[in-house]
Amino acid sequence: MKKILFFMVSLVFVILLGFNKKNPSIIIGCTAEFTMMKNIGVNELKNKLNYNMNVNLFFYDNNKGFALFSGVADFSGQRYLINREVRFSYTDLDNDGLHTLKYTKIVKGHSDTTTEDLWANILDVSRNLYISLNQLPGDLYLIKSLQTPEFVCNKT
């Protein structure tokens, strides 16, 4: 009887420990709209890339995050749909406020018709991105890349 009671108490303890694991929380959430025009290649008239997309950006408290890209791109008379989730990790190695953002995974949505070559001209995921997260008064953050403001975000 004591063995069964000990087993039951141990089982409940292990189950409670399993449920008590802390899931990462979103600490910063942003939304922005990007409208860009870019020339690709030598024939500027034929190889003009235009894209308009919404970007939702989320940072977790475990130094990971993700961005949701949705919109349209026009290139060489063709229209493409953009629907991607880009996961990343970010670190501030020397506590100077400059974070290295490294892309870790890209999930292409079912409705995304953008070719990989075209996507590489929209977001180059082969290179790290360097950003600073600056807290503003209240619960706002300014996210900058190389002195260019990109997002004003709410702390969630």
Side-chain angles (χ1 to χ4, degrees), residues 61-124:
D61 60 359
N62 65 354
N63 287 26
K64 293 181 181 179
F66 66 97
L68 301 172
F69 295 85
S70 61
V72 294
D74 291 304
F75 181 67
S76 293
Q78 288 282 112
R79 179 162 267 210
Y80 300 90
L81 296 176
I82 302 168
N83 180 14
R84 297 198 185 206
E85 177 183 331
V86 178
R87 298 177 191 168
F88 58 84
S89 62
Y90 63 99
T91 55
D92 183 358
L93 296 175
D94 52 6
N95 285 335
D96 65 351
L98 185 64
H99 294 73
T100 303
L101 192 141
K102 181 177 181 152
Y103 302 105
T104 58
K105 186 175 183 180
I106 300 170
V107 179
K108 187 174 180 177
H110 295 292
S111 64
D112 191 308
T113 59
T114 309
T115 65
E116 296 307 315
D117 291 340
L118 196 57
W119 175 251
N121 284 287
I122 294 171
L123 182 67
D124 184 2

Side-chain angles (χ1 to χ4, degrees), residues 15-83:
I15 290 172
L16 287 176
L17 276 179
F19 284 119
N20 198 22
K21 287 185 180 178
K22 183 180 182 269
N23 291 328
S25 298
I26 294 175
I27 55 173
I28 301 174
C30 309
T31 300
E33 183 176 353
F34 286 96
T35 301
M36 301 288 287
M37 183 175 60
K38 190 176 192 181
N39 292 324
I40 301 172
V42 293
N43 186 346
E44 293 180 3
L45 293 176
K46 185 177 180 187
N47 296 319
K48 198 172 288 266
L49 169 63
N50 295 305
Y51 57 91
N52 183 8
M53 62 184 172
N54 290 317
V55 180
N56 296 298
L57 184 63
F58 301 95
F59 289 84
Y60 287 108
D61 60 359
N62 65 354
N63 287 26
K64 293 181 181 179
F66 66 97
L68 301 172
F69 295 85
S70 61
V72 294
D74 291 304
F75 181 67
S76 293
Q78 288 282 112
R79 179 162 267 210
Y80 300 90
L81 296 176
I82 302 168
N83 180 14

